[in-house]
Amino acid sequence: MSDSHPPIKEFRLELSALTYTGHDLVRPESIIAQPDGTLWTSDGRGGVMRIAPDGSQQFFGGLGGEPNGLAMARDGSLYIANIGNGRIQRLFPDGHSEDVLTEVDGVPTTCANYVFIDSKDRLWLAFSTREQQWWPAAAQPRPDGYIVLLDEKGPRIVYDGIYFTNEIRLDAKEEFLYVAETMKNRILRFRVQPDGSLTDKEVFGPDGLGVGAVVDGFAFDAEGNVWVTTPLRNGLGIITTDGDYHVVFEEANEEVLSTFEEKVASGTATPADMAACAGRTLQSLTSITFGGPDLRTVYIGSLAMSRLPTFRSPVPGLPMRHWAS
């Protein structure tokens, strides 16, 4: 248990309490924080941005496509799910990159969304859809998202049939794999078997977080709560260990969200309809990362903002694999 703090169910923030980190970022969808204060964000210009502890920034390009989810290996290299070209790539500290995975069972991968590295250095990979581009699977939801496990046995699909697979993470004991099922507005979880197979599918928390509450990214805190981003509601919420859900902050236009859901249901939604959901202060929040020396500084990624909304959490985050490398 962490230091004493008010019940997490009472934690709320006004938008005016947010600070911001970074500048001139392009589609900083995912964020990696290192113990020394260094941050890495995916960058829509086909690379990643390094934000040093002193605030200086350095761009690393050459990946092409649209880099999305990030994970850091023990040697400091970054694994990147590139949603633009469908590949899993690796960027090394010296700046060179290579493809790690471009096909499974002889079929080219598409819409690579996220990478998670577990304590055994296995790669858990989320692919949102089998479409070449992700938008059709958002506009007309279909269960064609899947999860790949890459270990010493090679890559294999361990679960299929998800309505837009987004971020995936193992819990602290690595007993369960949690999955953001974006177009069902919910979090799923599976029991992880010793061979990496997934069983006992269930919904964690509410079976739907509200109107337009598509889920994108999430992270565990040290107490086992799941912090969830809802990009169309421009918000952040928490699913507590007992399955309760509450909003920490959001900037939602209920009328626009209802119209968007109606258009999705009728198959007429366009990217402009999604863009119309953006708030004046916050736009399309996608991911959450705990950082700082005490893992209580929270950074939020997005599809549309040029900086990272930042705040202090009452409870530390669960460190990722690279934190203890």
Side-chain angles (χ1 to χ4, degrees), residues 212-227:
V214 299
V215 295
D216 194 310
F218 66 97
F220 292 97
D221 66 28
E223 297 179 352
N225 305 299
V226 177
W227 299 53

Side-chain angles (χ1 to χ4, degrees), residues 26-55:
V26 178
R27 198 182 180 278
E29 204 276 351
S30 185
I31 307 160
I32 289 291
Q34 292 184 267
D36 68 357
T38 300
L39 300 175
W40 298 83
T41 70
S42 46
D43 192 292
R45 292 168 292 190
V48 298
M49 183 71 78
R50 179 183 184 271
I51 305 175
D54 65 3

Side-chain angles (χ1 to χ4, degrees), residues 147 158 163:
I147 298 168
V158 288
Y163 283 83

